[in-house]
Amino acid sequence: MGLQPACFGRFWEHCKDVNTTMVLQQLVFSYSEDFNNLANWWLSEGAGRFGIRDAGRCVVSWPDDEGDTALSDISEPIIHRNGSQLGELFVTQLSDPALQEKLKTDADFVARLASLDGELDLLAQELVESQDQLVALYGLMHSAHHLVSIDEIVNRLTEVIEPLFEARTAFMVLQLPERPSIVAQSGESLAHDVLSDLVFSTLERTDYLLINDRANSPAESLDQLETVLAIPMSIRGEKSAVLGLVNNTAGPFQSPTIKLLRAISDFAVSRIESALMYEAHLQQMKQQTRLQTEMELAHDVQMSLMPQTLPQISNLEIATFAQPALSVGGDFYDYFIHDNDIFYFTLGDISGKGMSAALLMAMTRTTMRNTARLLNEPSPKAILDHVTDSLYDDFTEVGMFCTIFTGLYDATSGKLAYVNGGHSPVIFRRAGGHAHLIDATGPPLCVLPQHLAYEDQLHLAPGDLLIVATDGFNEARNGAGEMFDYERLLDLVDALADQSAQNIADRLVTAVAQFSEGQPQDDDQTIIVIKRNEHE
Amino acid sequence: MSNLQITEHTKRISVLTFTDRLDAFNAPDARQQITDQMEAGAVNFVVDISQVTFMDSAGIAVLVNLLKKVTQANGAMKLVRPAHASAMRLLRMTKFDQVFKMFGTVDEAVNAF
């Protein structure tokens, strides 16, 4: 069996400490058969006694009686390979020089048994040690589970690792990009330059830095260290940390220690990586919460941009509803009463959804409102021409446009002047007639630098119904991917026509919601229902 | 010595063909393809939607977006009109037929450049 000198060394020291006599007794006990064979041979050759002596005292002998050990005729020391002596073999009543040679062979044999026993002993001891280490490692992993910050992990692990080994110093250094370095030491602390040379030299290695002999030290400052074992650690694929032990009190660092330290470094890497992930997750959650708060605020702001109270026009009933698909959207409606009985109203749908649409929506709504108020003789056509001039470049910059329906209703004459810029659905139903779609009078707003729409007129008679909605209604889909579509909408309007404007709006919203139940709302839904009173 | 000089001009025209549908589901993909083409230097487009059976507002937004981009880049865009009634109906109803130059076939559209 190939034994390493280091193991011998350790074993031998151990033997001296314990007591040579006890070791010999233990050896005879362990290999009693071998010793019996030896003794029988000598006794059959005519020996009076065969035995082992230590420092002049008989440890064991065959036959096992109290004889005078001084009477020995030949003896041979049991010499270990490293030169130290472990008692001697003796034989009495024989003195043939040829037998002296045989006794020497036997002494060598016993020395080998002792070595073998020593290694077994060492292995057993290592097993016990590694079991202790495993228990400690388990404890370490267990205790590390509640650690969430990277600082805590590095410091606590270093603290817990140190007593697991027989090194005077345990250290861990972590250098993550865009963060201050974290340096943890436990035991005797190392000077800053020593530590930094250690980290530098270790990060250059692919496996580990092992110094068991000062002559091999890679840097001058490391000469003062007796032994070093340091392992580079890759965090997220970048070598950015080192875990190490310095000055082993139990001689050179051996393979079991290297393996254990590597296992711990793997564990540390996984802990640090999960902590980084947790941090990122936390950060993301914080951002999401902030974003959500901002979106809620934006939703409130957007909703407040749309009129909160219904207008009082002598012969009109009006109802409105708006529901963005996301927190904010690109749909809007607006109205106000202009010069007594002139009622301005508009409903628009900015292409796209979410924040970008919402920003353009706010801009369009306000530009429309200001233009309608400021024009001397406002007409839907004049308003939209002005708005196109103002907004075309902004819309084009982001490749968006806006379908829009804008009307001015004169309550005195019942005349509605309107422009329908590519908007649908716009539903008109004469009292007693059938609901039908009103065509656009031109393309949407800001598709072209000039708004090509013409202005049209409708006369609202008592009981007539005008509904301007956004495509979130007709394009709502059910689970089978089928669209609500115009036909259902028109049929429903016919069925609801006798009801109040508010009821019609509520029922349309409910019907579409029921149709697309379980499906996410794909598009913003906005509607204005205008009904001329039947009894004036 | 001849005083005759011959130069040849070729105009690069990208033909985008959509089939089946041009709607909210495939609008992002269509937008991406257009962006890729324009990044590769294309400014003249023929968009063939003759085989598109269904189009919605998101689909139209893709076409408007392209029109605005090519106009800014001094290019042009021609449309091959949908053969299907429902898709054509949307274009008519929203008056986009006034916005896009429309042709019956890809060849006609290409020859219009």
PDB file of all heavy atoms in Angstrom, chain A residues 396 399-401 422 424 437 440 442-444 446-447 471 475 477 483 486, chain B residues 21 23 25 54 56-57 61 64-65 68 72 89 93-96 98-99:
ATOM      1  N   THR A 396     -47.087  62.166 -36.802  1.00  0.00           N
ATOM      2  CA  THR A 396     -46.278  61.504 -37.829  1.00  0.00           C
ATOM      3  C   THR A 396     -44.950  61.033 -37.241  1.00  0.00           C
ATOM      4  O   THR A 396     -44.445  59.974 -37.588  1.00  0.00           O
ATOM      5  CB  THR A 396     -46.055  62.462 -39.010  1.00  0.00           C
ATOM      6  OG1 THR A 396     -47.349  62.806 -39.504  1.00  0.00           O
ATOM      7  CG2 THR A 396     -45.257  61.808 -40.120  1.00  0.00           C
ATOM      8  N   GLY A 399     -45.671  57.858 -35.930  1.00  0.00           N
ATOM      9  CA  GLY A 399     -46.381  56.950 -36.843  1.00  0.00           C
ATOM     10  C   GLY A 399     -47.799  56.613 -36.399  1.00  0.00           C
ATOM     11  O   GLY A 399     -48.277  55.516 -36.632  1.00  0.00           O
ATOM     12  N   MET A 400     -48.458  57.555 -35.743  1.00  0.00           N
ATOM     13  CA  MET A 400     -49.817  57.263 -35.266  1.00  0.00           C
ATOM     14  C   MET A 400     -50.841  58.177 -35.929  1.00  0.00           C
ATOM     15  O   MET A 400     -50.488  59.125 -36.621  1.00  0.00           O
ATOM     16  CB  MET A 400     -49.872  57.403 -33.741  1.00  0.00           C
ATOM     17  CG  MET A 400     -49.042  56.319 -33.063  1.00  0.00           C
ATOM     18  SD  MET A 400     -48.754  56.637 -31.327  1.00  0.00           S
ATOM     19  CE  MET A 400     -50.049  55.669 -30.611  1.00  0.00           C
ATOM     20  N   PHE A 401     -52.117  57.873 -35.706  1.00  0.00           N
ATOM     21  CA  PHE A 401     -53.193  58.716 -36.225  1.00  0.00           C
ATOM     22  C   PHE A 401     -54.396  58.583 -35.299  1.00  0.00           C
ATOM     23  O   PHE A 401     -54.334  57.862 -34.302  1.00  0.00           O
ATOM     24  CB  PHE A 401     -53.562  58.317 -37.662  1.00  0.00           C
ATOM     25  CG  PHE A 401     -54.066  56.905 -37.779  1.00  0.00           C
ATOM     26  CD1 PHE A 401     -55.435  56.638 -37.720  1.00  0.00           C
ATOM     27  CD2 PHE A 401     -53.187  55.845 -37.948  1.00  0.00           C
ATOM     28  CE1 PHE A 401     -55.899  55.332 -37.828  1.00  0.00           C
ATOM     29  CE2 PHE A 401     -53.661  54.542 -38.049  1.00  0.00           C
ATOM     30  CZ  PHE A 401     -55.006  54.287 -37.984  1.00  0.00           C
ATOM     31  N   GLY A 422     -62.787  58.998 -40.448  1.00  0.00           N
ATOM     32  CA  GLY A 422     -62.415  57.567 -40.441  1.00  0.00           C
ATOM     33  C   GLY A 422     -62.893  56.794 -39.240  1.00  0.00           C
ATOM     34  O   GLY A 422     -62.357  55.729 -38.933  1.00  0.00           O
ATOM     35  N   SER A 424     -65.384  54.582 -36.812  1.00  0.00           N
ATOM     36  CA  SER A 424     -66.518  53.651 -36.791  1.00  0.00           C
ATOM     37  C   SER A 424     -66.466  52.893 -35.476  1.00  0.00           C
ATOM     38  O   SER A 424     -65.390  52.715 -34.925  1.00  0.00           O
ATOM     39  CB  SER A 424     -66.477  52.700 -37.984  1.00  0.00           C
ATOM     40  OG  SER A 424     -65.574  51.650 -37.737  1.00  0.00           O
ATOM     41  N   LEU A 437     -75.099  52.216 -39.962  1.00  0.00           N
ATOM     42  CA  LEU A 437     -73.806  52.856 -39.739  1.00  0.00           C
ATOM     43  C   LEU A 437     -73.701  54.113 -40.580  1.00  0.00           C
ATOM     44  O   LEU A 437     -74.176  54.154 -41.712  1.00  0.00           O
ATOM     45  CB  LEU A 437     -72.671  51.894 -40.126  1.00  0.00           C
ATOM     46  CG  LEU A 437     -72.500  50.677 -39.230  1.00  0.00           C
ATOM     47  CD1 LEU A 437     -71.526  49.684 -39.869  1.00  0.00           C
ATOM     48  CD2 LEU A 437     -71.985  51.092 -37.840  1.00  0.00           C
ATOM     49  N   ALA A 440     -67.769  57.344 -42.875  1.00  0.00           N
ATOM     50  CA  ALA A 440     -66.829  58.428 -42.620  1.00  0.00           C
ATOM     51  C   ALA A 440     -66.979  59.469 -43.729  1.00  0.00           C
ATOM     52  O   ALA A 440     -67.332  59.151 -44.861  1.00  0.00           O
ATOM     53  CB  ALA A 440     -65.418  57.902 -42.581  1.00  0.00           C
ATOM     54  N   GLY A 442     -64.365  61.389 -44.262  1.00  0.00           N
ATOM     55  CA  GLY A 442     -62.967  61.593 -44.649  1.00  0.00           C
ATOM     56  C   GLY A 442     -62.093  60.641 -43.854  1.00  0.00           C
ATOM     57  O   GLY A 442     -62.586  59.948 -42.965  1.00  0.00           O
ATOM     58  N   PRO A 443     -60.810  60.576 -44.192  1.00  0.00           N
ATOM     59  CA  PRO A 443     -59.899  59.677 -43.456  1.00  0.00           C
ATOM     60  C   PRO A 443     -59.637  60.205 -42.042  1.00  0.00           C
ATOM     61  O   PRO A 443     -60.013  61.329 -41.726  1.00  0.00           O
ATOM     62  CB  PRO A 443     -58.626  59.713 -44.296  1.00  0.00           C
ATOM     63  CG  PRO A 443     -58.698  60.954 -45.101  1.00  0.00           C
ATOM     64  CD  PRO A 443     -60.130  61.304 -45.267  1.00  0.00           C
ATOM     65  N   PRO A 444     -59.012  59.410 -41.243  1.00  0.00           N
ATOM     66  CA  PRO A 444     -58.729  59.843 -39.879  1.00  0.00           C
ATOM     67  C   PRO A 444     -57.828  61.065 -39.815  1.00  0.00           C
ATOM     68  O   PRO A 444     -57.202  61.461 -40.793  1.00  0.00           O
ATOM     69  CB  PRO A 444     -58.035  58.632 -39.261  1.00  0.00           C
ATOM     70  CG  PRO A 444     -58.472  57.483 -40.085  1.00  0.00           C
ATOM     71  CD  PRO A 444     -58.630  58.015 -41.474  1.00  0.00           C
ATOM     72  N   CYS A 446     -54.717  63.349 -39.018  1.00  0.00           N
ATOM     73  CA  CYS A 446     -53.258  63.257 -39.003  1.00  0.00           C
ATOM     74  C   CYS A 446     -52.683  62.068 -39.775  1.00  0.00           C
ATOM     75  O   CYS A 446     -51.565  61.632 -39.512  1.00  0.00           O
ATOM     76  CB  CYS A 446     -52.717  63.287 -37.575  1.00  0.00           C
ATOM     77  SG  CYS A 446     -53.053  64.850 -36.777  1.00  0.00           S
ATOM     78  N   VAL A 447     -53.467  61.504 -40.696  1.00  0.00           N
ATOM     79  CA  VAL A 447     -52.908  60.514 -41.611  1.00  0.00           C
ATOM     80  C   VAL A 447     -52.196  61.277 -42.729  1.00  0.00           C
ATOM     81  O   VAL A 447     -51.105  60.918 -43.154  1.00  0.00           O
ATOM     82  CB  VAL A 447     -54.016  59.620 -42.212  1.00  0.00           C
ATOM     83  CG1 VAL A 447     -53.457  58.729 -43.305  1.00  0.00           C
ATOM     84  CG2 VAL A 447     -54.669  58.781 -41.126  1.00  0.00           C
ATOM     85  N   ASP A 471     -63.971  51.185 -31.652  1.00  0.00           N
ATOM     86  CA  ASP A 471     -63.967  49.808 -32.177  1.00  0.00           C
ATOM     87  C   ASP A 471     -63.760  48.751 -31.090  1.00  0.00           C
ATOM     88  O   ASP A 471     -63.813  47.558 -31.372  1.00  0.00           O
ATOM     89  CB  ASP A 471     -62.941  49.649 -33.312  1.00  0.00           C
ATOM     90  CG  ASP A 471     -61.564  50.151 -32.928  1.00  0.00           C
ATOM     91  OD1 ASP A 471     -61.328  50.338 -31.712  1.00  0.00           O
ATOM     92  OD2 ASP A 471     -60.720  50.354 -33.823  1.00  0.00           O
ATOM     93  N   GLU A 475     -65.152  45.215 -32.221  1.00  0.00           N
ATOM     94  CA  GLU A 475     -64.035  44.275 -32.385  1.00  0.00           C
ATOM     95  C   GLU A 475     -63.784  43.415 -31.143  1.00  0.00           C
ATOM     96  O   GLU A 475     -62.809  42.673 -31.103  1.00  0.00           O
ATOM     97  CB  GLU A 475     -62.759  45.042 -32.785  1.00  0.00           C
ATOM     98  CG  GLU A 475     -62.837  45.554 -34.237  1.00  0.00           C
ATOM     99  CD  GLU A 475     -61.583  46.301 -34.700  1.00  0.00           C
ATOM    100  OE1 GLU A 475     -60.619  46.403 -33.924  1.00  0.00           O
ATOM    101  OE2 GLU A 475     -61.595  46.784 -35.851  1.00  0.00           O
ATOM    102  N   ARG A 477     -63.855  40.296 -28.838  1.00  0.00           N
ATOM    103  CA  ARG A 477     -63.881  38.893 -29.259  1.00  0.00           C
ATOM    104  C   ARG A 477     -64.316  37.972 -28.127  1.00  0.00           C
ATOM    105  O   ARG A 477     -64.047  38.253 -26.962  1.00  0.00           O
ATOM    106  CB  ARG A 477     -62.483  38.456 -29.714  1.00  0.00           C
ATOM    107  CG  ARG A 477     -62.110  39.005 -31.063  1.00  0.00           C
ATOM    108  CD  ARG A 477     -60.669  38.698 -31.391  1.00  0.00           C
ATOM    109  NE  ARG A 477     -60.261  39.415 -32.590  1.00  0.00           N
ATOM    110  CZ  ARG A 477     -60.492  38.971 -33.828  1.00  0.00           C
ATOM    111  NH1 ARG A 477     -61.086  37.807 -34.005  1.00  0.00           N
ATOM    112  NH2 ARG A 477     -60.123  39.684 -34.878  1.00  0.00           N
ATOM    113  N   MET A 483     -65.780  37.901 -33.546  1.00  0.00           N
ATOM    114  CA  MET A 483     -65.955  39.299 -33.175  1.00  0.00           C
ATOM    115  C   MET A 483     -67.412  39.627 -32.917  1.00  0.00           C
ATOM    116  O   MET A 483     -68.313  39.038 -33.503  1.00  0.00           O
ATOM    117  CB  MET A 483     -65.435  40.212 -34.278  1.00  0.00           C
ATOM    118  CG  MET A 483     -63.918  40.285 -34.332  1.00  0.00           C
ATOM    119  SD  MET A 483     -63.340  41.801 -35.090  1.00  0.00           S
ATOM    120  CE  MET A 483     -64.394  41.931 -36.489  1.00  0.00           C
ATOM    121  N   TYR A 486     -70.443  44.560 -36.273  1.00  0.00           N
ATOM    122  CA  TYR A 486     -71.432  45.634 -36.436  1.00  0.00           C
ATOM    123  C   TYR A 486     -72.876  45.127 -36.366  1.00  0.00           C
ATOM    124  O   TYR A 486     -73.741  45.784 -35.808  1.00  0.00           O
ATOM    125  CB  TYR A 486     -71.232  46.341 -37.783  1.00  0.00           C
ATOM    126  CG  TYR A 486     -69.884  47.030 -37.904  1.00  0.00           C
ATOM    127  CD1 TYR A 486     -68.968  46.660 -38.885  1.00  0.00           C
ATOM    128  CD2 TYR A 486     -69.546  48.080 -37.054  1.00  0.00           C
ATOM    129  CE1 TYR A 486     -67.750  47.293 -39.006  1.00  0.00           C
ATOM    130  CE2 TYR A 486     -68.323  48.727 -37.171  1.00  0.00           C
ATOM    131  CZ  TYR A 486     -67.425  48.332 -38.146  1.00  0.00           C
ATOM    132  OH  TYR A 486     -66.230  48.966 -38.262  1.00  0.00           O
TER     133      TYR A 486
ATOM    134  N   ARG B  21     -54.931  37.435 -42.892  1.00  0.00           N
ATOM    135  CA  ARG B  21     -55.408  38.543 -42.054  1.00  0.00           C
ATOM    136  C   ARG B  21     -54.315  39.560 -41.763  1.00  0.00           C
ATOM    137  O   ARG B  21     -53.129  39.236 -41.748  1.00  0.00           O
ATOM    138  CB  ARG B  21     -56.013  38.004 -40.763  1.00  0.00           C
ATOM    139  CG  ARG B  21     -55.101  37.059 -39.991  1.00  0.00           C
ATOM    140  CD  ARG B  21     -55.897  36.175 -39.060  1.00  0.00           C
ATOM    141  NE  ARG B  21     -56.693  36.992 -38.147  1.00  0.00           N
ATOM    142  CZ  ARG B  21     -57.830  36.585 -37.594  1.00  0.00           C
ATOM    143  NH1 ARG B  21     -58.310  35.390 -37.879  1.00  0.00           N
ATOM    144  NH2 ARG B  21     -58.484  37.361 -36.774  1.00  0.00           N
ATOM    145  N   ASP B  23     -54.236  42.045 -38.730  1.00  0.00           N
ATOM    146  CA  ASP B  23     -54.990  42.541 -37.579  1.00  0.00           C
ATOM    147  C   ASP B  23     -54.087  42.620 -36.345  1.00  0.00           C
ATOM    148  O   ASP B  23     -52.867  42.494 -36.438  1.00  0.00           O
ATOM    149  CB  ASP B  23     -56.195  41.630 -37.313  1.00  0.00           C
ATOM    150  CG  ASP B  23     -55.787  40.194 -37.035  1.00  0.00           C
ATOM    151  OD1 ASP B  23     -54.569  39.939 -36.910  1.00  0.00           O
ATOM    152  OD2 ASP B  23     -56.664  39.327 -36.957  1.00  0.00           O
ATOM    153  N   PHE B  25     -53.364  40.646 -34.196  1.00  0.00           N
ATOM    154  CA  PHE B  25     -52.506  39.494 -33.887  1.00  0.00           C
ATOM    155  C   PHE B  25     -51.176  39.531 -34.637  1.00  0.00           C
ATOM    156  O   PHE B  25     -50.146  39.205 -34.099  1.00  0.00           O
ATOM    157  CB  PHE B  25     -53.234  38.180 -34.203  1.00  0.00           C
ATOM    158  CG  PHE B  25     -54.399  37.944 -33.294  1.00  0.00           C
ATOM    159  CD1 PHE B  25     -55.691  38.052 -33.766  1.00  0.00           C
ATOM    160  CD2 PHE B  25     -54.197  37.646 -31.944  1.00  0.00           C
ATOM    161  CE1 PHE B  25     -56.780  37.863 -32.917  1.00  0.00           C
ATOM    162  CE2 PHE B  25     -55.270  37.453 -31.091  1.00  0.00           C
ATOM    163  CZ  PHE B  25     -56.578  37.555 -31.581  1.00  0.00           C
ATOM    164  N   PHE B  54     -59.349  39.506 -43.669  1.00  0.00           N
ATOM    165  CA  PHE B  54     -59.811  40.271 -42.517  1.00  0.00           C
ATOM    166  C   PHE B  54     -58.782  41.303 -42.085  1.00  0.00           C
ATOM    167  O   PHE B  54     -57.590  41.012 -42.013  1.00  0.00           O
ATOM    168  CB  PHE B  54     -60.126  39.330 -41.346  1.00  0.00           C
ATOM    169  CG  PHE B  54     -60.497  40.079 -40.105  1.00  0.00           C
ATOM    170  CD1 PHE B  54     -61.752  40.653 -39.976  1.00  0.00           C
ATOM    171  CD2 PHE B  54     -59.572  40.256 -39.085  1.00  0.00           C
ATOM    172  CE1 PHE B  54     -62.082  41.383 -38.847  1.00  0.00           C
ATOM    173  CE2 PHE B  54     -59.903  40.987 -37.955  1.00  0.00           C
ATOM    174  CZ  PHE B  54     -61.154  41.546 -37.828  1.00  0.00           C
ATOM    175  N   ASP B  56     -58.350  44.769 -39.252  1.00  0.00           N
ATOM    176  CA  ASP B  56     -58.975  45.614 -38.240  1.00  0.00           C
ATOM    177  C   ASP B  56     -58.188  46.913 -38.089  1.00  0.00           C
ATOM    178  O   ASP B  56     -57.270  47.185 -38.873  1.00  0.00           O
ATOM    179  CB  ASP B  56     -59.119  44.864 -36.906  1.00  0.00           C
ATOM    180  CG  ASP B  56     -57.782  44.559 -36.276  1.00  0.00           C
ATOM    181  OD1 ASP B  56     -56.746  44.997 -36.812  1.00  0.00           O
ATOM    182  OD2 ASP B  56     -57.753  43.872 -35.237  1.00  0.00           O
ATOM    183  N   SER B  57     -58.532  47.699 -37.069  1.00  0.00           N
ATOM    184  CA  SER B  57     -57.898  49.021 -36.932  1.00  0.00           C
ATOM    185  C   SER B  57     -56.388  48.890 -36.729  1.00  0.00           C
ATOM    186  O   SER B  57     -55.622  49.725 -37.207  1.00  0.00           O
ATOM    187  CB  SER B  57     -58.531  49.787 -35.780  1.00  0.00           C
ATOM    188  OG  SER B  57     -58.532  49.001 -34.612  1.00  0.00           O
ATOM    189  N   ALA B  61     -53.501  50.534 -38.961  1.00  0.00           N
ATOM    190  CA  ALA B  61     -52.441  51.336 -38.340  1.00  0.00           C
ATOM    191  C   ALA B  61     -51.074  50.956 -38.909  1.00  0.00           C
ATOM    192  O   ALA B  61     -50.215  51.818 -39.089  1.00  0.00           O
ATOM    193  CB  ALA B  61     -52.461  51.149 -36.827  1.00  0.00           C
ATOM    194  N   VAL B  64     -50.831  52.766 -42.246  1.00  0.00           N
ATOM    195  CA  VAL B  64     -50.655  54.214 -42.072  1.00  0.00           C
ATOM    196  C   VAL B  64     -49.230  54.499 -41.619  1.00  0.00           C
ATOM    197  O   VAL B  64     -48.570  55.433 -42.094  1.00  0.00           O
ATOM    198  CB  VAL B  64     -51.667  54.773 -41.052  1.00  0.00           C
ATOM    199  CG1 VAL B  64     -51.368  56.234 -40.759  1.00  0.00           C
ATOM    200  CG2 VAL B  64     -53.082  54.614 -41.578  1.00  0.00           C
ATOM    201  N   ASN B  65     -48.779  53.673 -40.714  1.00  0.00           N
ATOM    202  CA  ASN B  65     -47.426  53.827 -40.198  1.00  0.00           C
ATOM    203  C   ASN B  65     -46.397  53.764 -41.323  1.00  0.00           C
ATOM    204  O   ASN B  65     -45.479  54.574 -41.411  1.00  0.00           O
ATOM    205  CB  ASN B  65     -47.190  52.690 -39.203  1.00  0.00           C
ATOM    206  CG  ASN B  65     -46.132  53.052 -38.193  1.00  0.00           C
ATOM    207  OD1 ASN B  65     -44.976  53.207 -38.578  1.00  0.00           O
ATOM    208  ND2 ASN B  65     -46.514  53.213 -36.953  1.00  0.00           N
ATOM    209  N   LYS B  68     -46.580  56.871 -43.554  1.00  0.00           N
ATOM    210  CA  LYS B  68     -45.919  58.031 -42.939  1.00  0.00           C
ATOM    211  C   LYS B  68     -44.399  57.895 -43.010  1.00  0.00           C
ATOM    212  O   LYS B  68     -43.686  58.864 -43.286  1.00  0.00           O
ATOM    213  CB  LYS B  68     -46.366  58.165 -41.486  1.00  0.00           C
ATOM    214  CG  LYS B  68     -47.830  58.568 -41.379  1.00  0.00           C
ATOM    215  CD  LYS B  68     -48.168  59.106 -40.022  1.00  0.00           C
ATOM    216  CE  LYS B  68     -49.524  59.784 -40.070  1.00  0.00           C
ATOM    217  NZ  LYS B  68     -49.725  60.688 -38.948  1.00  0.00           N
ATOM    218  N   GLN B  72     -41.880  60.366 -45.207  1.00  0.00           N
ATOM    219  CA  GLN B  72     -40.780  61.081 -44.556  1.00  0.00           C
ATOM    220  C   GLN B  72     -39.446  60.792 -45.229  1.00  0.00           C
ATOM    221  O   GLN B  72     -38.567  61.645 -45.287  1.00  0.00           O
ATOM    222  CB  GLN B  72     -40.686  60.664 -43.090  1.00  0.00           C
ATOM    223  CG  GLN B  72     -41.553  61.516 -42.177  1.00  0.00           C
ATOM    224  CD  GLN B  72     -41.321  61.174 -40.726  1.00  0.00           C
ATOM    225  OE1 GLN B  72     -41.154  60.008 -40.385  1.00  0.00           O
ATOM    226  NE2 GLN B  72     -41.323  62.190 -39.874  1.00  0.00           N
ATOM    227  N   ARG B  89     -64.433  46.914 -47.256  1.00  0.00           N
ATOM    228  CA  ARG B  89     -65.478  47.702 -46.585  1.00  0.00           C
ATOM    229  C   ARG B  89     -64.848  48.586 -45.500  1.00  0.00           C
ATOM    230  O   ARG B  89     -65.193  49.751 -45.357  1.00  0.00           O
ATOM    231  CB  ARG B  89     -66.476  46.722 -45.958  1.00  0.00           C
ATOM    232  CG  ARG B  89     -67.580  47.369 -45.155  1.00  0.00           C
ATOM    233  CD  ARG B  89     -68.414  46.276 -44.509  1.00  0.00           C
ATOM    234  NE  ARG B  89     -69.412  46.811 -43.610  1.00  0.00           N
ATOM    235  CZ  ARG B  89     -69.979  46.086 -42.659  1.00  0.00           C
ATOM    236  NH1 ARG B  89     -69.639  44.819 -42.499  1.00  0.00           N
ATOM    237  NH2 ARG B  89     -70.884  46.607 -41.878  1.00  0.00           N
ATOM    238  N   MET B  93     -65.127  52.494 -45.431  1.00  0.00           N
ATOM    239  CA  MET B  93     -65.880  53.089 -44.346  1.00  0.00           C
ATOM    240  C   MET B  93     -65.057  54.132 -43.600  1.00  0.00           C
ATOM    241  O   MET B  93     -65.567  55.136 -43.138  1.00  0.00           O
ATOM    242  CB  MET B  93     -66.318  51.986 -43.390  1.00  0.00           C
ATOM    243  CG  MET B  93     -67.564  52.305 -42.634  1.00  0.00           C
ATOM    244  SD  MET B  93     -68.275  50.803 -41.943  1.00  0.00           S
ATOM    245  CE  MET B  93     -67.007  50.343 -40.831  1.00  0.00           C
ATOM    246  N   THR B  94     -63.757  53.826 -43.456  1.00  0.00           N
ATOM    247  CA  THR B  94     -62.889  54.750 -42.719  1.00  0.00           C
ATOM    248  C   THR B  94     -62.213  55.742 -43.665  1.00  0.00           C
ATOM    249  O   THR B  94     -61.353  56.499 -43.251  1.00  0.00           O
ATOM    250  CB  THR B  94     -61.812  53.968 -41.949  1.00  0.00           C
ATOM    251  OG1 THR B  94     -61.153  53.111 -42.880  1.00  0.00           O
ATOM    252  CG2 THR B  94     -62.420  53.125 -40.852  1.00  0.00           C
ATOM    253  N   LYS B  95     -62.632  55.691 -44.930  1.00  0.00           N
ATOM    254  CA  LYS B  95     -62.131  56.610 -45.957  1.00  0.00           C
ATOM    255  C   LYS B  95     -60.628  56.496 -46.200  1.00  0.00           C
ATOM    256  O   LYS B  95     -59.983  57.432 -46.641  1.00  0.00           O
ATOM    257  CB  LYS B  95     -62.489  58.075 -45.612  1.00  0.00           C
ATOM    258  CG  LYS B  95     -63.983  58.346 -45.730  1.00  0.00           C
ATOM    259  CD  LYS B  95     -64.458  58.300 -47.185  1.00  0.00           C
ATOM    260  CE  LYS B  95     -65.947  58.555 -47.324  1.00  0.00           C
ATOM    261  NZ  LYS B  95     -66.777  57.334 -47.122  1.00  0.00           N
ATOM    262  N   PHE B  96     -60.097  55.335 -45.901  1.00  0.00           N
ATOM    263  CA  PHE B  96     -58.681  55.143 -46.200  1.00  0.00           C
ATOM    264  C   PHE B  96     -58.464  54.966 -47.690  1.00  0.00           C
ATOM    265  O   PHE B  96     -57.343  55.040 -48.175  1.00  0.00           O
ATOM    266  CB  PHE B  96     -58.103  53.957 -45.410  1.00  0.00           C
ATOM    267  CG  PHE B  96     -57.577  54.383 -44.074  1.00  0.00           C
ATOM    268  CD1 PHE B  96     -58.258  54.102 -42.914  1.00  0.00           C
ATOM    269  CD2 PHE B  96     -56.386  55.092 -43.994  1.00  0.00           C
ATOM    270  CE1 PHE B  96     -57.771  54.506 -41.690  1.00  0.00           C
ATOM    271  CE2 PHE B  96     -55.897  55.507 -42.770  1.00  0.00           C
ATOM    272  CZ  PHE B  96     -56.589  55.219 -41.615  1.00  0.00           C
ATOM    273  N   GLN B  98     -59.207  57.049 -49.669  1.00  0.00           N
ATOM    274  CA  GLN B  98     -58.740  58.373 -50.121  1.00  0.00           C
ATOM    275  C   GLN B  98     -57.268  58.601 -49.792  1.00  0.00           C
ATOM    276  O   GLN B  98     -56.645  59.521 -50.287  1.00  0.00           O
ATOM    277  CB  GLN B  98     -59.547  59.476 -49.433  1.00  0.00           C
ATOM    278  CG  GLN B  98     -61.025  59.459 -49.769  1.00  0.00           C
ATOM    279  CD  GLN B  98     -61.777  60.558 -49.014  1.00  0.00           C
ATOM    280  OE1 GLN B  98     -61.185  61.304 -48.224  1.00  0.00           O
ATOM    281  NE2 GLN B  98     -63.071  60.659 -49.275  1.00  0.00           N
ATOM    282  N   VAL B  99     -56.770  57.788 -48.875  1.00  0.00           N
ATOM    283  CA  VAL B  99     -55.413  58.000 -48.384  1.00  0.00           C
ATOM    284  C   VAL B  99     -54.396  57.200 -49.197  1.00  0.00           C
ATOM    285  O   VAL B  99     -53.350  57.701 -49.579  1.00  0.00           O
ATOM    286  CB  VAL B  99     -55.324  57.608 -46.891  1.00  0.00           C
ATOM    287  CG1 VAL B  99     -53.885  57.661 -46.405  1.00  0.00           C
ATOM    288  CG2 VAL B  99     -56.219  58.498 -46.058  1.00  0.00           C
TER     289      VAL B  99
END
